[in-house]
């Protein structure tokens, strides 16, 4: 039993069957003298008699053979008919209607072919290599014979053609009947073909739908397969991770067991360490108390040492000879050694001076007068900034311990006061002055003291006193140079602390912040050109640092100011000086400077003599430094002198003033503690 064919194959088979039938109908034999039209049921007879034309007497009659005649049709029927019918039968596979046509064509008898025409004999001479021409006109007998033969031949041919015509008419009738049957069958087949085409179209649409569905399913299948591959890869990775985690878990379990064992042993150690810690805390508290006691003892001894050195100390510093200045004569300045010899620090200074006035009276050379001075320390011209600070570092430490400290730089213009206090230009660390070095020392010691429970804060201010007017050197913007707004006032009712109104008080915590303030103050300070210096400071500059320390654990506090003062030049006025427009300003500045310096000397002398009234208010300088000049303060004065012989008079005046200050004795200093 054969399996049912798919619809698509069935449609294809029916279509081939129809094509075969159409081809078979188109291959019907051509009948002589007739024309088979395209419709199988329509035929028309087109047989026409042959035309004969004769021309003149004795002319040869010509037959029109342009249309196909019997022999040709018979030949076609004999040669093509069976073959076409057999092919049609083989292709169609024997469907209905095709069998009859095939049998008819197969049973049709072939018509005998027409005999070949014999050449006509003639008595006329024939030219060799040429077709024989017409008989001559005079050969009438020959022409009659030729015509008789042609007539006989044509009669035979006509009879033969009549027979063929009758046979063809019979075939035509049979073919028409077959054509009618085939037309009926064709109509039936066309109906079936239409239904088959409809089914084929529906099948094609279904096929296209199914193909689209198949493509969609294939894409979905591909995506699913890719997803499955990814999941398989992920599964493999997870399996590897699982193995790694299992290995790590085993390792962690082993480590946990080891840690538990170590923990048990550590707990025992912790118990032991807690006992030791308790003992250490007790010991630490004892050590802290002892350290605090030692710190207090250190401060007491340090203060005692400073008191033994004197609460008012005077250092003398001689600046070196600068480039372009004449070298002093030998013996002009001498620095005698101390009792211990060259290893002893120099404390004495000898200055030689010749009296020119005596030489004008007698005519003899003026004798040389030697002036000897003794101070707490003398720094020769070759002394470095570091050596100078080492001598005052203990005094700066006293400010951190809670004692008011005031350091002056005194001397004539050009003697090196500003260099001693602020340092040289260019930012060279070797040339740094007392102010930046003192700030570095304070910040460093405060950091060390933080380990003992002390916390320190620093607030800086920088003012100048110019012609008895206080000006803020840290002012910026529109307030810059407005000195009239700054006044010295007490911090509050009943308070002994003095402040400058409208002045900036800047908290500082590092050296860079202090350097910025010094640079700003250097730009704002009042300077002018004088006979001794191209750029001379014409005011007293006061750098104040308010130091506040606190020990929260013990409830201790200490507050003290550190004052670093760069005094203006102390040169005297020349009575014979001719005053010009610029000299009048210098005269007024010099008078104000000398007045304030004289008041400073009077205040120090009053403190030394224990007088009931100390003239602090006679000068803005002494009034501002009131709390740093009394009996509870420590004071140091640097007297700076020039090594040039032309400045010997001013140098002697500065040395004499410093000697008077050095002879003063102020009461015992007391720390400002709370």
């Amino acid at each position: 039993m054969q399996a049912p064919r798919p619809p698509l194959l069935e449609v294809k088979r029916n279509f081939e069957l129809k094509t075969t039938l159409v081809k078979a109908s188109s291959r019907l034999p051509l009948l002589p003298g007739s024309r088979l039209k395209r419709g199988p049921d329509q035929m028309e007879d087109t047989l026409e008699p042959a035309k004969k034309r004769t021309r003149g007497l004795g002319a040869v009659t010509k037959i029109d053979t342009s249309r196909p005649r019997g022999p040709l049709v018979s030949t076609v029927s004999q040669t093509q008919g069976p073959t076409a019918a057999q092919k049609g039968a083989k292709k169609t596979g024997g469907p209905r209607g095709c069998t009859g046509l095939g049998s008819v064509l197969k049973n049709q008898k072939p018509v005998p072919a027409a005999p070949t025409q014999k050449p006509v004999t003639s008595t006329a001479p024939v030219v060799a290599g040429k077709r024989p021409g017409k008989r001559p006109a005079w050969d009438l007998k020959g022409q009659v014979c030729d015509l008789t033969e042609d007539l006989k031949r044509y009669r035979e041919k006509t009879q033969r053609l009549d027979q063929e015509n009758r046979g063809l008419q019979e075939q035509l009738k049979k073919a028409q009947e077959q054509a009618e049957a085939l037309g009926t069958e064709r109509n039936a087949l066309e109906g079936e073909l239409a239904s088959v085409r409809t089914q084929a179209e529906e099948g094609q649409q279904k096929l296209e739908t199914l193909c689209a569905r198949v493509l969609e399913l294939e894409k979905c299948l591909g995506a699913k397969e890719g997803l499955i591959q990814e999941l398989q890869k992920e599964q493999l990775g997870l399996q590897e991770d699982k193995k790694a985690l299992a290995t790590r878990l085993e390792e962690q379990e082993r480590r946990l067991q080891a840690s538990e064992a170590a923990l048990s042993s550590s707990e025992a150690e912790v118990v032991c360490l807690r006992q030791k810690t308790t003992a250490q805390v007790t010991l630490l508290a004892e050590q802290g108390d002892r350290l605090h006691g030692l710190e207090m003892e250190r401060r007491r001894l340090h203060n005692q040492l400073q008191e033994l050195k004197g609460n008012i100390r005077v250092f003398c510093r001689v600046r070196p000879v600068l480039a372009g200045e004449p070298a002093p004569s030998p013996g002009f300045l001498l620095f005698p050694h101390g009792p211990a010899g060259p290893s002893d620090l120099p404390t004495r200074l000898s200055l030689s001076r010749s009296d020119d006035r005596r030489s004008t009276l007698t005519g003899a050379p003026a004798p040389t007068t030697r002036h000897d001075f003794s101070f707490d320390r003398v720094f020769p011209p070759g002394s470095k900034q570091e050596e100078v600070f080492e001598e005052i570092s203990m005094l700066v430490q006293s400010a951190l311990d809670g004692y008011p400290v005031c350091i002056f730089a005194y001397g004539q213009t050009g003697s090196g006061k500003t260099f001693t206090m602020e340092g040289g230009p260019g930012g060279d660390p070797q040339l740094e002055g007392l102010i930046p070095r003192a700030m570095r020392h304070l910040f460093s010691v405060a950091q060390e003291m933080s380990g003992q429970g002390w916390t320190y804060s620093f607030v800086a201010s920088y003012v100048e006193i110019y012609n008895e007017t206080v000006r803020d050197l840290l002012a910026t913007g529109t307030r810059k140079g407005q000195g009239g707004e700054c006044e010295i006032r007490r911090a509050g009712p009943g308070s002994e602390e003095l402040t400058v109104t409208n002045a900036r008080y800047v908290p500082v915590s590092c050296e860079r912040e202090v350097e910025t303030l010094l640079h700003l103050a250097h730009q704002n300070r009042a300077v002018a050109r004088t006979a001794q210096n191209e750029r001379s400071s014409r005011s007293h500059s006061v750098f104040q640092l308010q130091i506040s320390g606190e020990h929260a654990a013990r409830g201790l506090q200490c507050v003290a100011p550190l004052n670093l003062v760069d005094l203006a030049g102390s040169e005297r006025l020349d009575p014979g000086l001719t005053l010009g427009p610029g000299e009048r300003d210098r005269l007024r500045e010099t008078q104000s400077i000398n007045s304030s310096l004289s008041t400073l000397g009077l205040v120090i002398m009053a403190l030394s003599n224990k007088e009931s009234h100390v003239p602090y208010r006679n000068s803005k300088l002494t009034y501002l430094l009131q709390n740093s000049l009394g009996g509870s303060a420590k004071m140091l004065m640097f007297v700076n002198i020039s090594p040039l012989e032309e400045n010997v008079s001013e140098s002697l005046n500065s040395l004499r003033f410093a000697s008077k200050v050095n002879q003063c004795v102020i009461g015992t200093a007391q720390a400002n503690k709370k």
Side-chain angles (χ1 to χ4, degrees):
M1 184 174 181
Q2 296 182 353
R5 295 184 180 180
L8 185 61
L9 296 179
E10 187 67 23
V11 172
K12 183 177 181 182
R13 178 177 172 277
N14 295 333
F15 182 75
E16 291 177 354
L17 178 60
K18 181 180 178 181
T19 307
T20 306
L21 292 176
V22 173
K23 289 182 179 179
S25 62
S26 63
R27 287 197 297 267
L28 291 177
L30 298 176
L31 299 178
S34 64
R35 178 178 302 173
L36 183 62
K37 296 186 178 180
R38 292 184 181 180
D41 54 349
Q42 296 179 359
M43 303 288 291
E44 70 175 353
D45 188 8
T46 56
L47 297 176
E48 295 180 357
K51 295 181 179 181
K52 298 179 180 181
R53 291 182 301 175
T54 57
R55 295 181 180 179
L57 181 65
V60 181
T61 304
K62 293 184 179 180
I63 305 300
D64 185 7
T65 59
S66 61
R67 295 174 181 245
R69 297 300 180 183
L72 179 62
V73 175
S74 302
T75 306
V76 172
S77 302
Q78 186 179 0
T79 59
Q80 294 181 356
T83 307
Q86 290 175 4
K87 287 183 181 179
K90 288 181 182 179
K91 287 183 181 180
T92 56
R96 55 180 179 176
C98 297
T99 330
L101 179 63
S103 59
V104 171
L105 296 177
K106 185 176 182 181
N107 296 327
Q108 183 181 2
K109 293 180 180 181
V111 180
T116 55
Q117 188 177 2
K118 295 181 180 181
V120 179
T121 57
S122 176
T123 58
V126 178
V127 183
K130 292 184 179 180
R131 185 177 179 178
K134 297 180 180 181
R135 291 180 182 272
W138 54 263
D139 192 3
L140 297 176
K141 187 178 181 177
Q143 294 178 359
V144 169
C145 290
D146 293 338
L147 292 174
T148 302
E149 291 179 358
D150 291 339
L151 178 62
K152 183 179 181 179
R153 188 172 55 254
Y154 284 124
R155 285 178 178 175
E156 293 177 354
K157 187 175 181 180
T158 302
Q159 293 177 359
R160 189 171 54 253
L161 291 176
D162 291 338
Q163 293 177 359
E164 290 177 358
N165 189 14
R166 287 192 296 270
L168 289 175
Q169 287 179 355
E170 293 177 357
Q171 292 179 3
L172 177 61
K173 290 180 180 179
K174 293 180 180 180
Q176 288 178 351
E177 293 175 356
Q178 292 178 357
E180 291 178 356
L182 289 175
T184 304
E185 188 176 0
R186 187 193 67 176
N187 294 332
L189 290 176
E190 284 179 352
E192 292 180 2
L193 180 61
S195 62
V196 169
R197 284 180 177 176
T198 304
Q199 293 178 1
E201 290 177 357
E202 294 177 355
Q204 184 68 22
Q205 292 178 356
K206 292 181 180 179
L207 180 62
E208 291 178 356
T209 305
L210 291 175
C211 291
R213 180 61 178 169
V214 168
L215 292 176
E216 182 180 357
L217 292 176
E218 287 179 353
K219 291 181 181 179
C220 183
L221 180 60
K224 296 293 184 183
E225 289 178 353
L227 181 60
I228 291 173
Q229 293 178 358
E230 293 179 359
L231 291 176
Q232 289 176 352
K233 292 181 181 179
E234 186 176 358
Q235 183 181 5
L236 294 176
L238 291 176
Q239 290 177 356
E240 294 179 357
D241 294 342
K242 180 181 177 181
K243 293 179 181 179
L245 290 174
T247 306
R248 289 180 59 186
L249 180 60
E250 294 177 358
E251 183 180 356
Q252 292 294 336
E253 288 178 351
R254 290 194 299 269
R255 293 177 61 183
L256 179 60
Q257 294 175 358
S259 299
E260 288 177 352
L263 180 61
S264 58
S265 62
S266 298
E267 287 177 352
E269 293 179 1
V270 166
V271 174
C272 182
L273 289 175
R274 284 178 179 175
Q275 296 175 356
K276 291 182 179 180
T277 302
T278 304
Q280 291 291 337
V281 168
T282 304
L283 180 61
L284 184 60
E286 295 176 356
Q287 292 292 338
D289 294 339
R290 184 180 177 185
L291 183 61
H292 178 70
L294 291 176
E295 175 63 22
M296 294 298 103
E297 183 65 16
R298 183 200 64 78
R299 294 191 180 192
R300 187 185 65 81
L301 293 176
H302 177 78
N303 183 58
Q304 186 177 358
L305 177 61
Q306 298 302 316
E307 289 178 355
L308 292 174
K309 291 182 177 181
N311 286 335
I312 297 182
R313 282 182 285 172
V314 178
F315 291 169
C316 178
R317 185 178 188 185
V318 182
R319 72 167 178 85
V321 178
L322 303 179
E325 294 180 344
S329 59
F332 174 67
L333 281 175
L334 299 176
F335 303 93
H337 298 295
S343 61
D344 195 4
L345 296 176
T347 58
R348 294 185 299 167
L349 171 68
S350 297
L351 188 146
S352 300
R353 178 185 182 186
S354 59
D355 194 351
D356 297 335
R357 293 175 297 179
R358 295 181 60 183
S359 62
T360 58
L361 297 175
T362 60
T368 302
T369 304
R370 180 175 179 177
H371 302 274
D372 296 327
F373 299 94
S374 178
F375 300 102
D376 294 284
R377 176 69 190 274
V378 175
F379 295 96
S383 301
K384 304 296 183 182
Q385 295 280 67
E386 184 178 0
E387 299 177 19
V388 176
F389 179 72
E390 286 179 358
E391 288 296 326
I392 70 165
S393 60
M394 302 302 290
L395 198 61
V396 174
Q397 180 66 42
S398 296
L400 202 64
D401 295 340
Y403 295 92
V405 176
C406 187
I407 301 176
F408 294 96
Y410 176 83
Q412 72 175 107
T413 300
S415 59
K417 301 185 300 299
T418 304
F419 177 80
T420 300
M421 299 302 294
E422 298 182 5
D428 187 358
Q430 300 295 329
L431 301 180
E432 287 182 340
L434 299 183
I435 296 178
R437 291 178 184 271
M439 295 302 102
R440 185 183 303 113
H441 177 77
L442 289 174
F443 294 142
S444 176
V445 175
Q447 184 67 26
E448 295 176 0
M449 295 294 291
S450 63
Q452 301 180 15
W454 286 92
T455 57
Y456 287 91
S457 61
F458 305 92
V459 179
S461 65
Y462 211 157
V463 298
E464 72 171 352
I465 301 174
Y466 176 74
N467 288 342
E468 289 301 308
T469 301
V470 181
R471 298 166 57 179
D472 184 13
L473 294 179
L474 303 182
T476 57
T478 58
R479 294 182 58 254
K480 188 173 181 180
Q482 297 179 3
E485 298 180 358
C486 298
E487 295 293 337
I488 303 173
R489 296 285 186 270
R490 295 193 179 275
S495 175
E496 296 296 331
E497 183 180 356
L498 297 175
T499 60
V500 179
T501 60
N502 298 323
R504 288 182 62 196
Y505 286 85
V506 183
V508 291
S509 58
C510 62
E511 303 170 25
R512 186 175 298 277
E513 295 176 356
V514 176
E515 291 177 359
T516 303
L517 297 181
L518 293 179
H519 180 70
L520 178 61
H522 183 72
Q523 292 180 343
N524 294 339
R525 190 173 180 185
V527 296
R529 184 176 183 276
T530 62
Q532 284 78 20
N533 199 353
E534 182 69 23
R535 181 180 174 87
S536 175
S537 299
R538 308 307 297 162
S539 63
H540 308 299
S541 67
V542 181
F543 179 83
Q544 288 185 318
L545 184 71
Q546 192 71 21
I547 305 173
S548 300
E550 181 181 6
H551 196 296
R554 300 185 181 276
L556 298 178
Q557 293 182 354
C558 61
V559 179
L562 173 64
N563 298 277
L564 301 172
V565 185
D566 181 11
L567 297 174
S570 61
E571 58 270 8
R572 295 175 299 172
L573 291 174
D574 188 359
L577 181 65
T578 303
L579 298 179
E583 284 75 7
R584 292 191 182 93
D585 295 337
R586 302 289 84 79
L587 174 62
R588 186 167 56 256
E589 291 172 355
T590 304
Q591 289 175 348
S592 177
I593 293 170
N594 291 338
S595 175
S596 59
L597 293 177
S598 299
T599 302
L600 177 61
L602 294 176
V603 168
I604 294 175
M605 294 298 296
L607 292 173
S608 176
N609 296 332
K610 304 286 192 298
E611 296 180 2
S612 58
H613 175 69
V614 179
Y616 290 118
R617 292 181 176 270
N618 290 354
S619 171
K620 293 290 182 66
L621 175 65
T622 55
Y623 185 41
L624 179 61
L625 302 176
Q626 178 178 346
N627 295 332
S628 300
L629 300 177
S632 62
K634 298 180 183 298
M635 184 172 56
L636 172 65
M637 177 178 289
F638 274 96
V639 55
N640 298 78
I641 63 173
S642 171
L644 304 180
E645 294 186 38
E646 60 184 16
N647 297 328
V648 63
S649 177
E650 295 295 338
S651 299
L652 283 174
N653 290 331
S654 299
L655 292 172
R656 288 167 182 163
F657 178 80
S659 296
K660 291 180 181 180
V661 173
N662 195 30
Q663 294 173 3
C664 296
V665 177
I666 303 178
T668 304
Q670 297 179 359
N672 186 7
K673 296 181 180 179
K674 298 181 181 179

